[in-house]
Amino acid sequence: MRPAEWHRDSAFVDGQWRPAESVVSVEDPATGEAIGTAADSSAALVDEAVAAARRAFDSWAATTARERAAHLAALHRELQARRDLLVRTTVAEVGAPVRVAREAHVDLALDIVGYYVDLIANLDDGPIEQVGNSLVFREPAGVVGCITPWNYPVYQLLIKVVPAIAAGCTVVAKPAELTPLTAYLVADAAQAAGLPAGVLNLVPGRGRVVGEAIVTHPEVDLVSFTGSTQVGARVAARAATTLKRVALELGGKSASLVLPDADLATAVNATVDSATLNTGQTCSAWTRLLVPQEAYDDAYQLACARAGELVVGDPTREETDLGPLISAGQRESVTGMVARASAAGARCFQPPLVLPERGHYTAPVVVGGVPPEAEIAQEEVFGPVLVVLPYRDEADAVRLANLTVYGLAGAVWSADQERALRVARAMRTGQVDINGAPFNPAAPFGGYKQSGYGRELGRHGYEEFTQIKAVQL
Ligand code: NAD
């Protein structure tokens, strides 16, 4: 039985459900079957949502941080009560393997909500500093538009909406067309938590309609966007017409740089796991493995062996490592890029798997024998594809790591921590993990270069939704 919560036809505006003029069906990528519906909202509904957020702003911005913490703690409890449904819905709408949905989508997102509750619970509402005769205050940025992609839908929504609300902003959020159902569960939780009307508004719909209406609306003060670099550039350009602030979390092509003194097998296995996490649909995935020339053949073989161990199939099963890709179009895009690389002479290893007949499945791919300038070594594939590249020396390794238009994440592997830190600092990218250090949700996350600007997560992610005022005495 499919949950009733998957059949929706409304936007959440001013604390109420407002039916949209039409609905779209939501597909399970593992079967291709329609599993639910969502609102296909109009720009007029965006206007109403922005008006509601604007009306709610003054009183919400005037609350103390402690009062907002109490509201967000209630939201956190309501989200926790929906945890299993959030996991099930993530598996159904994204096709994410259930283990990944539980750990990397839902539990991580709920932990981050808890982190923000704690961050603001004891925050002083007074000035943040005194400079000469000036008191400096941190104030909410205003009405915020949050636009999110389909790859980690509930996580990406919560890591924007929660710090924005925590900072005293009110929000109009738009989830991705392909994955709106988890966002509805967040709105349900906000309603059940008694969040004041208009503080969080949810307007599901198309990017060109709802997204553009948010980005160009004169009453929206700031847009926080996560998605592709191409759409991000359009969002920045359209937002410029009203001079609104924009934070952009975009694509990546991150390097995992293995220094000669590292444990090769450990580094290669972790890199394959990163490149294939969430079926390769992770913006911060390490999708380029850089290894010393003399270790190249061994590294390639190790990567193929690891790829061969991955279980591809039904995402509802605990043992599954890779589920389907999000859509038929995404599978075409991924297989097309691999086919072009092959045609140009690349070595493309795919484990010999029997893939399910229905659903948008693809096997993991390890690509070797390509120049670093090749399309597959430069463009974000957004599928389970790892490119292995050789380097001559440390300087060459850093050059290759920086040889893309992106700069979102990265890894360095070495027995010498000081050397690893030196290399990490030379990489033009927003995050680097040394020797497989764990993800830290309190650390700032975001891009250099065409991976975007602005930071999410932690204190920096909170401050993104504030502005600074100086009062002279
Ligand atoms: P996308 O850019 O197609 O869409 C993202 C969101 O923007 C969706 O909600 C979409 O409806 C909306 N949108 C589309 N056109 C719009 C427009 N003209 N104006 C306003 N909004 C519009 O991205 P996607 O395909 O959903 O997601 C995959 C991409 O997201 C990948 O490139 C991935 O790297 C990136 N991503 C980045 C991060 C990060 O934090 N850096 C995280 C996850 C995903």
Side-chain angles (χ1 to χ4, degrees), residues 434-459:
I434 291 177
N435 293 330
F439 180 68
N440 178 2
F445 177 86
Y448 279 32
K449 302 193 276 182
Q450 292 185 32
S451 290
Y453 42 77
R455 291 293 177 268
E456 296 200 294
L457 301 178
R459 185 173 55 77

Side-chain angles (χ1 to χ4, degrees), residues 215-292:
V215 169
T216 53
H217 203 296
E219 288 291 324
V220 173
D221 298 292
L222 184 157
V223 171
S224 177
F225 172 89
T226 298
S228 59
T229 292
Q230 193 188 10
V231 175
R234 182 176 171 88
V235 165
R238 303 286 281 140
T241 57
T242 46
L243 284 178
K244 50 175 67 70
R245 277 169 59 195
V246 180
L248 299 171
E249 300 288 349
L250 309 176
K253 189 75 182 177
S254 298
S256 176
L257 194 164
V258 187
L259 290 166
D261 61 353
D263 182 310
L264 188 65
T266 303
V268 170
N269 287 346
T271 305
V272 172
D273 292 352
S274 167
T276 57
L277 177 69
N278 206 39
T279 319
Q281 302 164 121
T282 304
C283 52
S284 56
W286 308 327
T287 51
R288 295 181 300 142
L289 174 64
L290 309 185
V291 294

Side-chain angles (χ1 to χ4, degrees), residues 126-297:
I128 54 170
E129 62 175 341
Q130 177 151 15
V131 187
N133 67 324
S134 301
L135 292 180
V136 180
F137 293 89
R138 189 177 285 292
E139 299 193 339
V143 172
V144 171
C146 297
I147 301 177
T148 48
W150 45 258
N151 56 334
Y152 287 87
V154 73
Y155 169 87
Q156 276 142 350
L157 186 69
L158 287 172
I159 70 166
K160 292 187 188 307
V161 162
V162 169
I165 292 175
C169 298
T170 55
V171 170
V172 177
K174 188 202 96 63
E177 293 88 323
L178 295 172
T179 56
L181 298 179
T182 40
Y184 275 106
L185 300 178
V186 171
D188 289 347
Q191 192 176 27
L195 201 64
V199 171
L200 172 62
N201 304 275
L202 179 76
V203 189
R206 280 169 286 162
R208 279 295 173 114
V209 179
V210 174
E212 297 246 341
I214 292 173
V215 169
T216 53
H217 203 296
E219 288 291 324
V220 173
D221 298 292
L222 184 157
V223 171
S224 177
F225 172 89
T226 298
S228 59
T229 292
Q230 193 188 10
V231 175
R234 182 176 171 88
V235 165
R238 303 286 281 140
T241 57
T242 46
L243 284 178
K244 50 175 67 70
R245 277 169 59 195
V246 180
L248 299 171
E249 300 288 349
L250 309 176
K253 189 75 182 177
S254 298
S256 176
L257 194 164
V258 187
L259 290 166
D261 61 353
D263 182 310
L264 188 65
T266 303
V268 170
N269 287 346
T271 305
V272 172
D273 292 352
S274 167
T276 57
L277 177 69
N278 206 39
T279 319
Q281 302 164 121
T282 304
C283 52
S284 56
W286 308 327
T287 51
R288 295 181 300 142
L289 174 64
L290 309 185
V291 294
Q293 218 155 33
E294 54 282 7
Y296 185 79
D297 288 337

Side-chain angles (χ1 to χ4, degrees), residues 347-388:
R347 250 196 296 167
C348 295
F349 169 82
Q350 279 194 302
L353 298 173
V354 181
L355 297 172
E357 271 176 26
R358 291 193 310 166
H360 315 303
Y361 289 92
T362 185
V365 187
V366 181
V367 180
V370 292
E373 298 81 9
E375 179 198 41
I376 200 133
Q378 289 290 321
E379 299 291 324
E380 185 179 52
V381 180
F382 235 51
V385 178
L386 176 68
V387 180
V388 189

